[in-house]
């Protein structure tokens, strides 16, 4: 879960001199963590989504399992941990399929998007202390919600569209692509 | 152009009490502006991209024309202004095709993505004071760069993938979709 973003232990607000083209100072939010989004893609074409309350936008939202990790830790390791903790899943196959700069006019937050397949229930239960809800939905339904603006988290939108692109371009196993697009 | 994000006139850093589930305080960056991304899609299947130096990430990046507008102003009006100022273009047809929450664990920044078609040169030159570079590239080439992580701005990635999705799903004119995907 991507939280604690601006507590003083994870970010700092700094001011740097801008280029000579502009004498103005420039405010930047610096992140010590990167962001992670995981698309858990089941063999039958379903995806696992997480529902959670997002304080900054004051509403309940559905999105992919997301989280973060400290810079210096392999994003894949952080992704495996987040998938287990948030969705209660482990995966046989992992592919990093997108890189992000999330709000590059004002922060240096970077993100990584993974597709996880070969899914199975983890031995441990997901951490429910953050009031997460876990659902499985057909890929098409999730994609439709994303493009309709009903699931607007930027990494979620981009990852669902990337999976569609991969299915159409032959970058996923044929049977999986067929199950997703049916 | 999305700049000035954290200068004191556009944002404030506030602390709100979190839900009863957690007694911790929660830091939120509040935006007075929303973000805009425009995909200028030419009849021949090319897209217009903007190159610019991004202070927060300390590198030069290619992305779609992007900008912002004050909350309360119609995002479409802000999009038209940004396309003219950044890309030197006007468009006959505008479609809002994505909504975003850009970094929803730590900010309340919202974004809107538009596809602009029926493009023509604006009568006024684009504003070059921000050291922008303007190029036209085949849609496929732009999409390939985005999915390869070479053009990682989140709205740019999502909008190029959305345009691919629209072309494949019959949501764009047939001739345009064919030119984009060839």
């Amino acid at each position: 879960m991507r939280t604690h973003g601006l507590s003083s232990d994870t970010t700092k607000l700094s001011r740097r001199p801008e280029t000579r083209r502009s004498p103005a100072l420039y405010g930047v939010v610096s992140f010590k963590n990167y962001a992670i989004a995981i698309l858990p893609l089941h063999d039958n074409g379903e995806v696992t989504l997480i529902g959670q309350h997002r304080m900054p936008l004051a509403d309940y939202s559905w999105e992919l399992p997301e989280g973060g990790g400290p810079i210096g830790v392999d994003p894949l390791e952080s992704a495996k941990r987040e998938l287990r903790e948030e969705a209660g899943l482990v995966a046989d196959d992992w592919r990093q399929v997108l890189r992000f700069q999330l709000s590059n006019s004002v922060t240096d937050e970077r993100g990584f998007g993974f597709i996880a397949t070969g899914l199975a229930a983890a031995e441990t239960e997901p951490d429910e202390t953050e009031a997460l809800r876990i659902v499985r939905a057909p890929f098409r339904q999730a994609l439709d919600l994303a493009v309709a603006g009903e699931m607007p988290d930027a990494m979620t939108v981009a990852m669902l569209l990337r999976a569609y692109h991969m299915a159409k371009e032959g970058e996923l196993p044929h049977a999986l692509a067929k199950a997703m697009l049916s």
Side-chain angles (χ1 to χ4, degrees), chain A:
Chain A
M1 189 176 185
R2 295 170 59 207
T3 56
H4 322 304
L6 284 181
S7 60
S8 59
D9 60 324
T10 56
T11 64
K12 61 177 192 275
L13 186 65
S14 60
R15 298 188 79 79
R16 310 177 193 169
E18 209 177 359
T19 64
R20 281 175 301 168
R21 287 188 167 275
S22 165
L25 291 176
Y26 202 112
V28 175
V29 180
S30 241
F31 282 68
K32 293 182 182 173
N33 296 323
Y34 52 78
I36 295 277
I38 304 133
L39 177 59
L41 200 46
H42 298 268
D43 291 345
N44 69 349
E46 288 182 329
V47 298
T48 291
L49 301 175
I50 305 291
Q52 59 187 268
H53 187 68
R54 287 287 191 189
M55 278 303 290
L57 289 158
D59 57 12
Y60 200 79
S61 70
W62 291 97
E63 59 190 40
L64 296 186
E66 295 186 354
I71 290 169
V73 170
D74 182 359
L76 176 59
E77 292 311 308
S78 299
K80 289 179 176 175
R81 178 181 47 72
E82 291 288 350
L83 184 67
R84 194 173 54 244
E85 289 178 2
E86 284 216 337
L89 294 172
V90 292
D92 283 337
D93 301 301
W94 287 88
R95 288 170 69 178
Q96 186 190 313
V97 299
L98 282 180
R99 283 179 50 217
F100 299 102
Q101 293 170 357
L102 287 164
S103 183
N104 64 7
S105 65
V106 291
T107 82
D108 62 357
E109 188 179 18
R110 294 178 187 273
F112 302 91
F114 292 89
I115 286 185
T117 53
L119 297 167
E123 290 182 8
T124 54
E125 292 296 307
D127 177 3
E128 298 200 11
T129 59
E130 296 175 301
L132 305 183
R133 289 174 60 194
I134 303 170
V135 298
R136 281 175 65 160
F139 174 78
R140 276 278 191 193
Q141 184 180 335
L143 180 62
D144 288 349
L145 286 172
V147 302
E150 300 296 320
M151 199 159 58
D153 170 70
M155 289 199 297
T156 295
V157 171
M159 284 294 292
L160 288 166
L161 285 163
R162 173 67 169 128
Y164 172 89
H165 170 258
M166 292 174 72
K168 285 283 188 183
E169 295 287 310
E171 296 182 39
L172 291 174
H174 179 71
L176 177 58
K178 191 175 168 187
M180 292 164 62
L181 299 176
S182 64

